[in-house]
Amino acid sequence: MLSESDLYILIKLLTIISSVAPAYQDFKTRLIDDRVWSLYIFPYAALVYGIYSGLIVVSKVYLGIVISILIVFVMVIASKFGFSLGGADFIMFIIISPLSFVFEPDVFAVNLIPGFIQVLLLSSIISVIYVILKCIYINRSKFSTEHGFFNKLKLLYGYWVYEADDLKEIILEERNGLKFVTPGIPMVTFIFISMVLLSMLDYIIMFY
C-alpha cells in the first residue's frame, strides 16, 4: 500500500507527465487538441484513491476546487460580455487547481503559500521574463537608435511588424501600416515549467 508521501509523489509525477502534451502543443502552435485533456484522468484517479483511502485530507483539495469554480465563473461572466479569455489557459488552471496542493515545497518545514498560488506566481514571473527576453532579442538593433527613456522601455514589451501572427502575437497599436505587437504567452507551457521547477525545489529541500 502506498504511503502518503508516495502518493503525493505519484500525483505530482502523473500531473507533470500528463502536462507534457498540452505544454508542447501550446508552445509550438498555441492550439491544443481537446483530446489531450483526457490524460489528466490518471492524476485524478490517484487523487480519488488518496481521498477514499484516507491518505489525502479532503480539506487540502478544497482550495483548489474553490479556485476552479471561481475560474469557471469568471469565464462564464466574461463570455456574456463577449470577451475571449484564452480557453486553453483557463482549462489548464481549472484542471491543475485541485491537484496543486502537491506542488507546495516545504520551506523550513512549513507550507507558507498554497500550491496553486505558487504555480500561478511562478508561471507569471516566467511569462514576464519570456516577453522581455524575446523583445530584447527582436529589438536588439533598435535600442541604440531609439530616443527617449519611455521609447526604449516600450521595446522591452513589444516590437513593430507589418503583419501580426494572430495566434502568437497581440496587437497593441497600429501606425502607418505597421503594428506594434507583444508576444502572446504560452501559459500552459509555463504552468508546466512551474510545476517542474516547484517539484525540483521540493526535492532539493527534502534532501538538503
Side-chain angles (χ1 to χ4, degrees):
M1 182 176 176
L2 292 173
S3 67
E4 181 182 359
S5 60
D6 289 338
L7 185 58
Y8 272 50
I9 292 172
L10 178 62
I11 294 174
K12 193 179 299 184
L13 287 175
L14 289 174
T15 303
I16 289 173
I17 291 170
S18 299
S19 301
V20 171
Y24 176 78
Q25 292 181 3
D26 188 37
F27 188 76
K28 290 291 290 184
T29 65
R30 299 295 195 277
L31 297 174
I32 298 178
D33 188 334
D34 288 337
R35 291 174 293 183
V36 304
W37 303 120
S38 63
L39 294 171
Y40 289 96
I41 191 174
F42 298 106
Y44 268 96
L47 176 65
V48 171
Y49 167 79
I51 292 173
Y52 278 96
S53 65
L55 292 174
I56 294 176
V57 180
V58 181
S59 60
K60 287 182 173 292
V61 190
Y62 281 162
L63 178 61
I65 293 174
V66 170
I67 291 172
S68 289
I69 293 172
L70 288 175
I71 291 172
V72 173
F73 178 75
V74 169
M75 290 180 67
V76 171
I77 295 299
S79 66
K80 296 291 185 181
F81 292 93
F83 292 107
S84 176
L85 298 174
D89 299 341
F90 278 86
I91 291 172
M92 185 67 165
F93 278 127
I94 290 168
I95 290 174
I96 293 301
S97 295
L99 301 166
S100 61
F101 67 93
V102 300
F103 297 98
E104 296 178 1
D106 289 336
V107 181
F108 303 114
V110 178
N111 291 326
L112 300 174
I113 306 174
F116 176 79
I117 303 301
Q118 294 191 43
V119 172
L120 178 61
L121 286 176
L122 186 53
S123 58
S124 298
I125 291 170
I126 294 172
S127 300
V128 172
I129 294 172
Y130 166 78
V131 169
I132 292 175
L133 290 180
K134 183 170 184 176
C135 290
I136 287 176
Y137 177 76
I138 293 175
N139 294 321
R140 60 190 181 280
S141 62
K142 299 179 180 178
F143 284 96
S144 58
T145 58
E146 193 67 61
H147 299 290
F149 172 77
F150 289 104
N151 287 332
K152 291 181 183 292
L153 185 64
K154 192 174 180 179
L155 296 178
L156 294 178
Y157 64 86
Y159 47 89
W160 292 96
V161 296
Y162 287 103
E163 293 295 334
D165 184 335
D166 293 336
L167 292 176
K168 296 186 176 182
E169 295 170 332
I170 301 171
I171 299 174
L172 300 179
E173 180 183 347
E174 295 189 47
R175 186 192 305 168
N176 300 325
L178 290 173
K179 299 177 177 65
F180 186 73
V181 301
T182 190
I185 297 172
M187 184 58 76
V188 172
T189 305
F190 294 155
I191 293 171
F192 166 74
I193 294 173
S194 298
M195 293 189 296
V196 172
L197 292 176
L198 288 170
S199 298
M200 291 172 62
L201 177 60
D202 198 17
Y203 291 130
I204 291 172
I205 292 171
M206 185 186 304
F207 291 109
Y208 294 96

